[in-house]
């Protein structure tokens, strides 16, 4: 199950991603927002981040105007590694190297086709693991635990 979240700026692009997932039979849970009425992006970043750390959803996808605010907010939740992606290679590598569990992108930055390609790359990639990547992701967790 993939957790989806957006603010008003990301609403149209997340709606397009939902259609893309429907066509592929990918299961998702939509945590809102559900219209273009102005809302505060940290609220939706928090809902998606909590769904991922609780295990309710395996991965999360967030969309706002830039992807930046969503990613900053999601990364405040312990256990979240959220990456802003504007092209598919970053989306693949953030899974493989950083074990990212959320991606964020900006509806003011990318279009539907790129967002679809980013989601496909993120969902089809796996954490590469191995000594190097395990150690580095472990060091991120150490930083988090020292806060
Ligand atoms: C909303 O106006 C905008 O600030 C938001 O969508 C996002 O870009 C924040 O990072």
């Amino acid at each position: 199950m993939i957790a989806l979240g957006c603010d008003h700026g990301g609403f149209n692009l997340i709606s397009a991603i939902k259609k893309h997932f429907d066509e592929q039979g990918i299961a998702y849970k939509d945590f809102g927002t559900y219209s273009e009425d102005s809302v505060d992006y940290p609220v939706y970043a928090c809902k998606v981040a909590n769904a991922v750390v609780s295990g309710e959803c395996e991965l999360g996808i967030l969309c706002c105007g830039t992807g930046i605010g969503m990613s900053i907010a999601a990364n405040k939740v312990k256990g979240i590694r959220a990456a802003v992606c504007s092209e598919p290679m970053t989306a693949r590598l953030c899974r493989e190297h950083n074990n990212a569990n959320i991606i964020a992108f900006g509806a003011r930055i990318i279009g539907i086709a790129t967002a679809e390609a980013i989601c496909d790359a993120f969902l089809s990639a796996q954490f590469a693991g191995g000594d190097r990547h395990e150690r580095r992701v472990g060091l991120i967790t150490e930083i988090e635990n020292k806060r």
Side-chain angles (χ1 to χ4, degrees):
M1 182 72 72
I2 309 302
L4 301 180
C6 64
D7 72 355
H8 51 287
F11 173 72
N12 287 328
L13 190 50
I14 277 290
S15 300
I17 293 301
K18 283 165 61 177
K19 185 165 172 280
H20 181 62
F21 284 175
D22 288 340
E23 286 163 3
Q24 295 183 80
I26 294 172
Y28 57 82
K29 182 165 179 183
D30 183 0
F31 288 87
T33 189
Y34 304 112
S35 78
E36 289 185 277
D37 294 344
S38 184
V39 292
D40 298 326
Y41 60 80
V43 172
Y44 300 93
C46 187
K47 286 175 193 275
V48 166
N50 285 336
V52 171
V53 292
S54 73
E56 180 186 1
C57 295
E58 296 137 45
L59 296 168
I61 296 173
L62 291 166
C63 184
C64 61
T66 59
I68 303 290
M70 284 292 199
S71 66
I72 291 173
N75 276 318
K76 297 296 180 193
V77 176
K78 193 171 182 173
I80 290 301
R81 291 172 298 280
V84 181
C85 301
S86 297
E87 35 65 43
M89 185 175 176
T90 311
R92 174 173 63 82
L93 288 173
C94 77
R95 280 291 281 142
E96 292 182 356
H97 290 193
N98 315 113
N99 202 9
N101 46 18
I102 290 182
I103 52 168
F105 45 74
R108 296 171 73 176
I109 311 296
I110 61 170
I112 293 174
T114 302
E116 289 174 349
I118 286 170
C119 290
D120 293 347
F122 181 61
L123 297 188
S124 60
Q126 298 291 328
F127 181 45
D131 287 349
R132 275 183 311 153
H133 298 310
E134 293 280 5
R135 183 177 67 252
R136 291 164 186 168
V137 173
L139 287 168
I140 294 173
T141 306
E142 269 185 38
I143 295 170
E144 189 175 56
N145 289 338
K146 279 183 193 152
R147 280 214 298 233

